[in-house]
Every structure is written in C-alpha cells, then in structure tokens.
Amino acid sequence: MSDTDTQSREPSRARALLSTADMKLLRRALESHARNTEDRDELAKINALHHRLGTYVPSAE
C-alpha cells in the first residue's frame, strides 16, 4: 500500500439543504401560522424559529 492509500481523505464539501428562496417561503408560512394560532406556547416556538430563520435570510421589508 502506498502512503496515499493510507492517508484519510478530506470529506466532500457539504451542500445546502435549503435554498434562500426556501428559507423565505418558510418564514412567510410561519408568519401566516403565527397569525392563526391561539396557543401561546406554540406561538413562542414559532417566533423563536422565525427569528432563527431570519438570521440566515434577513427580511427584505
């Protein structure tokens, strides 16, 4: 076996799971759902997720 065979290979580059357009669509869906829910616990979770998604895709508004 040669030295190149025994060396570990670099992992391949990770690809994005969701596009920027997907992230924006998810944020809009969360906004719509938040307007229609009355469960305060669920609303808090929705708001937190919406905020985290906003750190990746800032609102264009």
Side-chain angles (χ1 to χ4, degrees), residues 2 4-5 15-16 18 36-37 43 56 59:
S2 69
T4 56
D5 291 337
R15 295 186 307 173
L18 300 171
N36 294 314
T37 190
L43 185 57
Y56 297 108
S59 178

Side-chain angles (χ1 to χ4, degrees), residues 11-28:
S12 61
R13 187 174 181 189
R15 295 186 307 173
L17 180 62
L18 300 171
S19 70
T20 302
D22 294 337
M23 298 293 274
K24 289 179 181 178
L25 180 60
L26 285 170
R27 285 192 73 206
R28 285 197 308 267

Side-chain angles (χ1 to χ4, degrees), residues 1-56:
M1 234 182 213
S2 69
D3 288 334
T4 56
D5 291 337
T6 59
Q7 292 176 349
S8 63
R9 294 186 179 189
E10 294 279 332
S12 61
R13 187 174 181 189
R15 295 186 307 173
L17 180 62
L18 300 171
S19 70
T20 302
D22 294 337
M23 298 293 274
K24 289 179 181 178
L25 180 60
L26 285 170
R27 285 192 73 206
R28 285 197 308 267
L30 285 171
E31 290 169 3
S32 175
H33 183 57
R35 283 191 291 271
N36 294 314
T37 190
E38 295 180 13
D39 183 345
R40 293 181 63 106
D41 291 333
E42 184 175 354
L43 185 57
K45 292 175 186 177
I46 292 169
N47 287 334
L49 177 56
H50 187 272
H51 176 73
R52 287 192 305 272
L53 289 174
T55 62
Y56 297 108

